[in-house]
DNA sequence: AAGAGTAAGTTACAAAAAGTAACCAAATGA
DNA sequence: TCATTTGGTTACTTTTTGTAACTTACTCTT
């Protein structure tokens, strides 16, 4: 068991201890719901799906597929199921012909999309720096 | 080109337009630095690496590997390179025997870890809800 | 002097995940 | 009768991950 002195520790980071196990070298996903839940919600495709559903209050399968550029039917369908199971989105199917299926965020999903937007805003502000760093690194 | 009325639009979500292309069905990663940069930084393993480096100011390869439970040498090594290239972390090698290599966050990395911690805090607060949802969904 | 140990990786091979593209159902319109 | 439509599914290929053995270079033990 490792101990970290206060001086070694970075400010707010104490919370990691609670989040990712108790710093005893054992924080596998089975023992760590945060890691488990996060790996679903912050997956690349899931993130884009949730963000677009934050933008449009309701979207049908094929519309969503156009916005989440590059996603395949298969993966979109998979992710939608998981996101529904985890409570971020709802699926409403209307038995018309052809069938109409509408996806939208739950309240829970909306609270998540707010957090996600904070992160993407940071990304937008900072992505130029990252691209500049990559350039520089490439030359070394 | 799709138009969204103000009433359809969810609050802060207008920013998506700037972030993910101009709502014209074309936001591939090549045209969208945010998507590109985000896919590296918010990858599951990268996230854990950055979080642990936020907790311990400096970590060596094998220590990092113990904290980021379950990661393989290969992937750890890959992610560290990319995170270094993107400017989140620094690598310092001391030519002792055996070699000693120290990783730590750059200032930029520290500004990112703060954002990341906000997200993980949300996850910690909300993961019980997600697990409960999953249970319920499983029964349907 | 031969062998073991150590840190930080790399490499070859196997398994899992993702991408691709064709296919399906059910009703409607030409 | 045949094409069209939506929301997927399926079989197959390619890419990404995971596994575990190996490497390098020097030091310590025997």
């Amino acid at each position: 068991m490792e101990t970290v002195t206060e001086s070694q520790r970075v400010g707010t980071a104490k919370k990691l201890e609670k989040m990712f196990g108790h710093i005893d070298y054992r924080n596998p996903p089975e023992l760590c719901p945060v890691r488990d839940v996060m790996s679903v919600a912050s997956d690349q495709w899931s993130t884009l799906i949730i963000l677009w559903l934050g933008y449009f209050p309701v979207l049908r399968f094929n519309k969503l597929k156009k916005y989440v550029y590059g996603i395949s039917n298969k993966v979109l369908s998979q992710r939608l199921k998981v996101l529904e199971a985890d409570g971020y989105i709802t699926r409403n199917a209307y038995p018309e012909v052809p069938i109409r299926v509408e996806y939208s965020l739950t309240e829970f999903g909306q609270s998540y999309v707010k957090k996600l937007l904070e992160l993407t805003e940071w990304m937008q502000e900072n992505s130029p720096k990252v691209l500049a760093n990559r350039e520089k690194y490439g030359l070394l």
Side-chain angles (χ1 to χ4, degrees), chain A residues 45 49 61 64-65 71-85 89 91 103:
Chain A
W45 291 124
I49 292 169
F61 188 89
L64 202 37
K65 193 185 159 186
I71 200 171
S72 65
N73 285 19
K74 193 181 83 175
V75 171
L76 177 54
S77 158
Q78 281 174 353
R79 291 295 183 284
L80 287 171
K81 275 178 196 156
V82 174
L83 290 174
E84 194 194 354
I89 67 175
R91 176 186 188 276
Y103 292 94

Side-chain angles (χ1 to χ4, degrees), chain A residues 107-125:
Chain A
E107 255 185 71
F108 182 64
Q110 297 198 13
S111 92
Y112 179 54
V113 84
K114 276 180 201 135
K115 280 285 147 197
L116 217 43
L117 278 166
E118 290 173 26
L119 198 74
T120 53
E121 277 166 46
W122 188 93
M123 285 291 164
Q124 193 183 30
E125 283 164 32

Side-chain angles (χ1 to χ4, degrees), chain A residues 86-110:
Chain A
D86 278 13
Y88 299 100
I89 67 175
T90 53
R91 176 186 188 276
N92 279 82
Y94 302 90
E96 306 169 357
V97 170
I99 191 174
R100 177 164 57 99
V101 180
E102 296 186 338
Y103 292 94
S104 42
L105 292 181
T106 59
E107 255 185 71
F108 182 64
Q110 297 198 13

